[in-house]
Amino acid sequence: MGEKTRRAYRSDLAQLGDWAAGRELGPRELGHRELRRFAAVLGENGAARSTVARKLAAVRSFYRQLVDIGEVDANPADLISSPKKDAYLPNVLKPEEVVALLERIPAATPLDLRDRSMFELAYAAGLRAEELVDLDLGSVDPDGEEVRVEGKGGRTRVVPAGEHAWRTLERYTERARPVLDTGESPALFLSKSGRRLSTSDVRRRLKLQGQRAGITPHTLRHSFATHLLEGGADLRTIQELLGHASIGTTQTYTRVESKRLKMAYSRAHPRA
């Protein structure tokens, strides 16, 4: 379990604790009916199904440990089924919108050159924000036009990137990175003080350079996957490029494509 998941679970259990304390219930008094009511209240308060499912997973894990140490006899959360995930359709830009976004970034300063290179690479290789900031100088192979990416769950993948990304990366590494480099970090993309960027830095710079609400690094990643699918790439290839552990996660993009095709059909067919 990663640190992010542990933090989320701690927050989830604290929320359950507050809810139960308000009803003067302790862990032993919480049965499946009370936990089902807790889940219902979460939904009524606007929590997404995926959020409710995660909170129930945290509760299930907590009670599993209580069973293991003999504090309770059975896990009441085992009697509650998690809600199905929301039908999630990611925000996707049209190819021409991606081009406009990237070409809008100027080349006036080292930070501009860094941003253009960073977001060209994000779109060209479908990288997560965390994967972008984790890249080191040695992670990129300009001759092979490939990037070595350390993804979720410790999974490493090698991803190709196109000519546009390598051209902007070359300008950045030759003209901008030496200006930012203080010798403190091997990171590929450096902050103005020469340190490795954080994911919040990446999101903030994309918001600034994109000059448009709602665009995140994941928007570029989703657009990368959708444009590959529209261009004829198969799901297994897209799964490998994105670093998804399960093909089920990649199948989200088939729903995006299906939605696009239905819209085109309804506009174009005379008897739609």
Side-chain angles (χ1 to χ4, degrees), residues 35-218:
L35 293 179
R36 190 173 288 119
R37 180 57 190 152
F38 171 67
V41 168
L42 293 173
E44 291 165 4
N45 290 338
R49 292 179 184 177
S50 56
T51 301
V52 176
R54 190 201 69 219
K55 291 179 185 295
L56 287 176
V59 174
R60 201 171 288 117
S61 177
F62 170 67
Y63 272 99
R64 192 177 300 124
Q65 293 180 47
L66 292 185
V67 171
D68 288 344
I69 62 176
E71 287 292 325
V72 296
D73 295 329
N75 188 337
D78 283 344
L79 298 174
I80 305 172
S81 58
S82 294
K84 293 182 179 179
K85 289 185 178 180
D86 300 304
Y88 168 62
L89 294 179
N91 183 24
V92 173
L93 300 176
K94 297 176 182 177
E96 57 269 25
E97 290 177 320
V98 176
V99 171
L101 183 153
L102 294 172
E103 294 189 349
R104 191 183 300 126
I105 301 175
T109 69
L111 295 184
D112 288 334
L113 288 171
R114 180 205 63 194
D115 289 352
R116 175 67 183 268
S117 175
M118 184 164 59
F119 297 130
E120 284 275 9
L121 188 59
Y123 173 63
L127 304 185
R128 302 176 177 95
E130 294 87 346
E131 294 169 347
L132 273 175
V133 300
D134 284 345
L135 291 176
D136 290 334
L137 270 174
S139 303
V140 296
D141 177 10
D143 293 333
E145 295 190 346
E146 294 177 333
V147 186
R148 186 179 180 84
V149 182
E150 302 297 328
K152 283 187 175 181
R155 293 185 296 273
T156 301
R157 67 188 191 278
V158 177
V159 187
E163 181 182 346
H164 289 285
W166 292 112
R167 196 159 56 235
T168 57
L169 186 62
E170 184 178 23
R171 285 200 296 269
Y172 163 68
T173 54
E174 290 181 357
R175 294 163 47 189
R177 193 183 183 282
V179 177
L180 301 172
D181 189 13
T182 60
E184 294 181 21
S185 175
L188 176 61
F189 296 113
L190 296 172
S191 71
K192 62 182 178 182
S193 57
R195 296 193 294 268
R196 189 181 298 273
L197 292 170
S198 68
T199 56
S200 60
D201 291 330
V202 175
R203 296 185 182 96
R204 180 175 51 82
R205 293 298 296 186
L206 182 56
K207 183 178 180 181
L208 174 70
Q209 298 285 18
Q211 300 176 7
R212 177 174 162 184
I215 296 180
T216 68
H218 249 61

Side-chain angles (χ1 to χ4, degrees), residues 1-8 10:
M1 184 187 296
E3 180 56 31
K4 283 186 178 180
T5 303
R6 282 194 289 270
R7 285 201 302 268
R10 284 196 293 268

